[in-house]
Amino acid sequence: MKFSFFNVILYKNDNPTSHNICQILDDIYNLHTPAQRTLQVDEQNFFSFPRLSTDDDRPQFRYFWIGKFLNERILEANYANDDIAELDGNAYSPTFMAYEEAGHLLMMQNVMQGVNRRVLEKFLNGFLPKDSEDNYEIKVIQQKNSEGLEVINPNTNIMSINIAIKTEYYNHADFF
């Protein structure tokens, strides 16, 4: 399973704020019906927010799915025989995400037919208020850091990376 990392920033009138999106995620999840948590992001694609959980030990984290309803029909089969049938209902591709409020950090599973950065922005922005004097927008910014890569020969095989963390001023329980 591969993941990408993003910073998720709430903007007010084109200025970044320090607000995290935990309350926005909670508000979307607490809408009464699944249809209220489903949004058409573009001409053909619908996305929904069916799952959200928190951890009592780490209340600053939100673990959730946002998934895409697939337009293509999916077939189900059994490896023990040749029976193939069309799957009943709507085919759905969920994308797992985890959000940490202090660093505005989002971890998103890479799913071929699932949610990407652009879709996540459109989905979350679709639930922000539109009738206020202020203009709110959520921006999802991919974390890319290529610092130091220019010193590595492209033909080099990296076998391991060692990371040393100085912890003399930190509580070790906060790291893990």
Side-chain angles (χ1 to χ4, degrees):
M1 203 179 299
K2 293 184 179 182
F3 291 91
S4 296
F5 295 88
F6 303 87
N7 289 111
V8 182
I9 309 297
L10 177 64
Y11 282 73
K12 179 180 177 182
N13 300 325
D14 295 325
N15 295 311
T17 69
S18 61
H19 299 294
N20 68 67
I21 65 163
C22 284
Q23 188 61 50
I24 295 168
L25 295 173
D26 294 344
D27 290 347
I28 296 170
Y29 184 70
N30 289 325
L31 292 170
H32 296 295
T33 66
Q36 291 174 316
R37 295 188 305 266
T38 300
L39 190 68
Q40 186 173 2
V41 171
D42 53 33
E43 290 180 13
Q44 321 173 22
N45 296 306
F46 288 84
F47 294 83
S48 71
F49 191 122
R51 301 276 188 272
L52 175 96
S53 63
T54 59
D55 183 352
D56 292 337
D57 294 332
R58 294 182 177 93
Q60 71 276 18
F61 284 88
R62 299 291 185 278
Y63 309 97
F64 59 99
W65 288 0
I66 294 178
K68 176 182 180 182
F69 288 96
L70 302 177
N71 297 325
E72 303 83 28
R73 299 305 302 165
I74 302 295
L75 302 176
E76 67 177 327
N78 186 326
Y79 65 88
N81 58 45
D82 290 330
D83 295 338
I84 297 175
E86 194 170 279
L87 184 68
D88 288 335
N90 295 318
Y92 186 74
S93 179
T95 300
F96 173 77
M97 298 178 214
Y99 177 75
E100 189 272 322
E101 69 181 41
H104 304 273
L105 179 66
L106 177 86
M107 177 184 74
M108 181 190 305
Q109 177 187 11
N110 294 335
V111 177
M112 180 71 72
Q113 297 221 10
V115 176
N116 59 34
R117 181 196 64 77
R118 179 191 60 79
V119 166
L120 180 61
E121 274 184 359
K122 287 183 176 184
F123 184 84
L124 294 175
N125 284 317
F127 290 96
L128 293 179
K130 304 280 188 262
D131 57 352
S132 70
E133 294 177 8
D134 297 316
N135 179 28
Y136 290 97
E137 179 183 19
I138 291 175
K139 292 187 182 179
V140 179
I141 303 158
Q142 186 162 13
Q143 290 189 348
K144 292 182 181 180
N145 188 350
S146 57
E147 185 177 321
L149 289 180
E150 66 277 354
V151 298
I152 299 173
N153 182 333
N155 297 324
T156 302
N157 288 328
I158 299 174
M159 303 305 284
S160 68
I161 297 174
N162 295 324
I163 299 174
I165 301 173
K166 295 181 181 181
T167 62
E168 67 185 78
Y169 299 110
Y170 299 100
N171 180 353
H172 293 216
D174 291 341
F175 281 103
F176 305 101

